[in-house]
Amino acid sequence: MFAMNTILSLVLCGFAPPGLLADQPVVDRGEIKAGPILTHAFAVRNSGNEPFTITEVVGGCGCLRAAASQKTLAPGQSGEIRVEVGTLALPAGPNTWTVTVRGVRGEGQPIETLYLTLQAKVVREVAVDPAAPSLTAVGAPSHLVAWRDRRPGPLIISQAESPSAYV
């Protein structure tokens, strides 16, 4: 009886449950190696009784790309929000990426927002410090670049190049 009264009160007050829900809005991928693209697909579904149209999928940083598998989901229909994270330049240690999904259900309804979070601990097996050195000098320039290799085998540098004819 309490649940029915609560639902009736919420409907009378103009509150409706969200149209787009994620089966697992926060995912921890554990340890990952820096370098390869980290991919994940968040399963989402339209829990409402009207079609839900995804109007925007935005990644929280420049290393993240995200897209919806389809723009409109019918009531009860499922889809995916696909996420790709470029891990090459990420700092070692715990990292968190957020995707904001916005959309509407039905005509004239307010915009709804769903936040999806991907987490991982980045492990850098080979590190170059600084990652992108830049030089400005008068005379003969010099710059120290350090490599750290945490892999069990040896690191063999077979070639080093610069796009500048002066380096």
Side-chain angles (χ1 to χ4, degrees):
M1 182 68 170
F2 171 76
M4 182 56 100
N5 288 341
T6 303
I7 292 171
L8 183 58
S9 297
L10 292 173
V11 170
L12 291 175
C13 292
F15 176 82
L20 190 65
L21 295 176
D23 292 344
Q24 192 175 3
V26 178
V27 173
D28 188 341
R29 294 290 298 268
E31 280 193 1
I32 62 165
K33 293 180 181 179
I37 301 290
L38 171 63
T39 61
H40 185 77
F42 287 92
V44 295
R45 65 184 159 75
N46 179 356
S47 64
N49 55 7
E50 297 179 70
F52 188 91
T53 302
I54 297 172
T55 58
E56 186 178 32
V57 179
V58 180
C61 68
C63 66
L64 187 147
R65 291 188 323 189
S69 61
Q70 58 196 83
K71 187 173 179 172
T72 301
L73 298 173
Q77 187 177 15
S78 294
E80 290 181 340
I81 304 297
R82 293 181 305 274
V83 177
E84 293 182 349
V85 179
T87 64
L88 186 59
L90 293 177
N95 284 266
T96 300
W97 305 276
T98 302
V99 176
T100 303
V101 182
R102 291 188 179 91
V104 295
R105 60 184 151 142
E107 294 285 325
Q109 296 294 322
I111 293 175
E112 297 178 21
T113 303
L114 173 66
Y115 297 101
L116 305 172
T117 303
L118 185 59
Q119 301 170 334
K121 181 179 178 184
V122 176
V123 176
R124 300 194 64 77
E125 291 184 312
V126 177
V128 179
D129 188 25
S134 63
L135 301 173
T136 303
V138 175
S142 69
H143 191 77
L144 178 66
V145 177
W147 279 271
R148 287 186 303 278
D149 188 354
R150 293 182 178 91
R151 299 174 298 174
L155 172 66
I156 299 171
I157 300 171
S158 59
Q159 184 175 345
E161 294 181 8
S162 170
S164 173
Y166 301 105
V167 177

